[in-house]
Amino acid sequence: MPKVTPRGPNPIDIHVGSRVRLRRQLLKMSQEKLGDELGVTFQQIQKYERGANRVGASRLYRLSRALDVPVQFFFEGLVGEPSIAGVAEGDQTPIVYDFIQSIDGVTLAESFSRIKDGKVRRRVLELVRTLASEDPADA
C-alpha cells in the first residue's frame, strides 16, 4: 500500500485523480465540460485530477456516470490492491500505468485501437518490440 504523508495528497486520491484524467482524455472531454456535467468548476476538476482534493462517494458515482465507466475503474491498478481484471501484476506494472496515463500513452492507445486489421496490429507490435530491443550504440 502506498505510504501516506501528513502534508501531501493521499496516494489513493492521486491514483483516483489520474484515472479521472486518463478517462477524460480518452473521451477527448475538456475539464470544463466535465465540470459542467458535475456542477463544479474546471479548477475543481484540476484539483481532483492532481489528487489535491478528495473525491467524495456521491461525486465519484457521478464521475463514473459522466465518464461512462464503473466506479471500480478509478481504483484499478492501485499498488498493493488485487487486480480487478484478474491479471497478475509484474515488476513492469508501475511503468505501464505511468505510460498509459501520459499524453503519449493515451495517444498511442487511441491510435492503436483504431487499427482494425489484426495482422497489421501484430506487425505494429513487432515493429515496436524490434525498435525497443535495438542497441542505441548500433543506431
Side-chain angles (χ1 to χ4, degrees):
M1 197 64 167
K3 184 178 177 183
V4 177
T5 57
R7 288 215 182 255
N10 183 293
I12 294 173
D13 296 332
I14 293 170
H15 180 83
V16 168
S18 71
R19 300 289 289 175
V20 170
R21 181 179 60 251
L22 170 66
R23 182 62 181 164
R24 180 183 58 75
Q25 289 175 335
L26 285 171
L27 294 174
K28 296 187 181 343
M29 181 185 291
S30 70
Q31 289 175 332
E32 187 173 3
K33 173 136 173 51
L34 181 57
D36 288 346
E37 289 194 29
L38 299 177
V40 301
T41 64
F42 78 91
Q43 292 97 333
Q44 183 63 40
I45 299 299
Q46 289 175 333
K47 291 176 183 180
Y48 289 149
E49 290 183 357
R50 285 194 325 264
N53 282 12
R54 181 167 290 156
V55 180
S58 60
R59 178 86 18 96
L60 191 63
Y61 177 77
R62 289 179 60 201
L63 274 166
S64 76
R65 305 286 290 203
L67 297 174
D68 196 29
V69 291
V71 172
Q72 63 265 27
F73 168 84
F74 301 111
F75 300 97
E76 289 176 358
L78 270 173
V79 177
E81 296 294 321
S83 174
I84 292 171
V87 178
E89 296 193 29
D91 293 336
Q92 296 296 311
T93 300
I95 294 169
V96 171
Y97 282 114
D98 287 346
F99 176 70
I100 197 63
Q101 292 174 13
S102 71
I103 295 297
D104 287 341
V106 170
T107 303
L108 182 63
E110 287 175 336
S111 299
F112 188 78
S113 67
R114 286 194 300 267
I115 300 171
K116 301 301 179 205
D117 187 325
K119 288 180 181 178
V120 173
R121 287 173 73 135
R122 282 188 292 281
R123 292 189 70 197
V124 168
L125 186 56
E126 288 173 26
L127 172 65
V128 171
R129 285 181 177 149
T130 301
L131 291 172
S133 66
E134 283 185 4
D135 185 355
D138 294 341

